[in-house]
Amino acid sequence: MIKYLDLKRINDLYDAEIREALNEVLNSGWYLKGEATKRFEAQYAEYIGTRHCIGCGNGLDALTLILRAYMEMGVMKEGDEVIVPANTFIASIIAITECGLKPVLIEPNINTFQIDDALIERAITNRTRAVMIVHLYGFCAYTERIAEICNIHHIKLIEDNAQAHGCLFQQVRTGSLGHAAAHSFYPGKNLGAMGDAGAVTTNDGELANMVRSLANYGSSHKYVFDYVGRNSRLDELQAAVLCVKLKYLDKDNARRQQIATYYIKEVKNPLLILPKSSEGVFHIFPVLCGQRDELQQYLSDHDVETVIHYPIPPHQQACYSDWNQMSLPITERIHREELSIPCHQAMTDAEVMAVTELLNRFCCS
């Protein structure tokens, strides 16, 4: 069986260093808000290219903390609007609605899977306070046009960088392109912890202080609470693991890109639509196929595991039933046709070639 994502094989690549790092934390007797977390925050801020990094519990918390911080700072208030891609993972939208803000769903460009920057400006109203771009699948969603729109209309540019650790826009890393960015270190990410973990990066010192306070129950000083916050902390064990893996992130991303380049060059099946470019860090390698379910079954029958990202778009989910009658045809097509195939740093060349051969042999009667 060729697994979609073999986390054991991936973590085995760094096994000795991870064990050493975990033992160091265990022996320290200090498990929260310690030296490992400080070290990772400093290293990740330097890697991303921002002045501040604040560790937190997970990627959803990171997004929510950014929005809550802007609300406490008076930049946003309940009922304000945040523009967001319609085809994102639902966490992007949950963060917005959890804060009492209104998501404005924008269709993606079918060629890039990213928010269509040609549709953003017409969606701006006098209640728009931010554009949240999502670097979906590990491809860069940022464009100079999006930045220009945000500058013209004096609105915030927030990055959901949960799937794009190490991705670049003209040699500048995603996570440093907007006013603030949220990161997830869920185990399956390119930079994955061994449990839930997340972070916020920003160059805005006031925002960074507010995020750190809100993540610590709303407190900047022990037992003094200025805000109604939450408990969202990056623990020492996860920070230690992330410090190890961060050293290898660029190398691991290069291997993912190498595999993606091979797929793009060698898969010739006209029934399949592959990414147009090998640029990106390929957290996910998405294939569009009008016979998606048949393709998935075919690959499964030949011992190749795949995943659908994502079978139901946010506007058709029961939790957002008020949106269920919306028509977003490009989003709906992507969610209907997308199939993610194996693409990770622990894959062998033989496995990559086997998947490629199967994709080329697929036909639907």
Side-chain angles (χ1 to χ4, degrees), residues 45-266:
E46 181 179 7
Y47 176 82
I48 292 296
T50 56
R51 287 195 290 271
H52 306 282
C53 171
I54 307 95
C56 63
N58 54 68
L60 174 57
D61 279 1
L63 287 167
T64 307
L65 287 164
I66 291 169
L67 296 171
R68 275 288 315 280
Y70 278 133
M71 295 178 79
E72 294 291 352
M73 292 163 62
V75 176
M76 302 178 187
K77 60 181 180 297
E78 285 195 20
D80 283 344
E81 297 171 353
V82 177
I83 290 172
V84 64
N87 63 316
T88 185
F89 179 58
I90 202 165
S92 312
I93 294 169
I94 288 175
I96 298 169
T97 58
E98 182 178 324
C99 292
L101 302 167
K102 179 183 176 182
V104 177
L105 306 183
I106 301 297
E107 287 267 60
N109 182 316
I110 191 63
N111 294 315
T112 66
F113 305 109
Q114 308 305 309
I115 191 169
D116 190 336
D117 62 5
L119 304 178
I120 291 175
E121 194 160 29
R122 71 185 70 171
I124 292 176
T125 72
N126 61 2
R127 299 301 300 272
T128 305
R129 296 294 177 265
V131 174
M132 181 185 291
I133 57 174
V134 182
H135 303 296
L136 198 66
Y137 306 153
F139 305 143
C140 182
Y142 177 90
T143 67
E144 292 176 340
R145 178 58 182 152
I146 293 174
E148 180 184 33
I149 290 169
C150 290
N151 287 333
I152 289 171
H153 294 275
H154 307 290
I155 57 180
K156 298 299 182 183
L157 177 55
I158 300 170
E159 298 175 76
D160 182 339
N161 199 52
Q163 299 186 8
H165 315 120
C167 191
L168 293 170
F169 174 82
Q170 297 179 358
Q171 305 309 307
V172 179
R173 295 200 191 280
T174 57
S176 69
L177 296 164
H179 295 96
H183 308 255
S184 167
F185 306 118
Y186 178 79
K189 304 296 188 182
N190 291 36
L191 180 60
M194 290 189 164
D196 275 323
V200 172
T201 55
T202 183
N203 286 315
D204 185 333
E206 182 184 3
L207 179 70
N209 290 337
M210 182 65 74
V211 167
R212 195 175 292 281
S213 175
L214 288 170
N216 186 38
Y217 300 101
S219 173
S220 300
H221 305 283
K222 194 167 185 177
Y223 301 135
V224 178
F225 304 96
D226 299 312
Y227 312 99
V228 178
R230 64 201 303 157
N231 174 12
S232 182
R233 295 180 288 211
L234 173 64
D235 71 65
E236 289 287 280
L237 291 169
Q238 303 305 335
V241 170
L242 291 168
C243 283
V244 171
K245 289 189 170 185
L246 181 58
K247 295 186 295 183
Y248 301 101
L249 179 57
D250 286 345
K251 178 182 176 182
D252 291 343
N253 283 343
R255 174 57 178 162
R256 286 173 178 261
Q257 190 174 56
Q258 182 183 43
I259 294 168
T261 300
Y262 185 87
Y263 284 148
I264 291 168
K265 179 181 178 182
E266 299 297 334

Side-chain angles (χ1 to χ4, degrees), residues 87 292 310-314 331-338:
N87 63 316
R292 190 262 311 280
Y310 304 95
I312 305 172
T331 293
E332 290 159 18
R333 177 188 171 189
I334 292 171
H335 286 257
R336 186 173 61 247
E337 297 185 3
E338 193 277 339

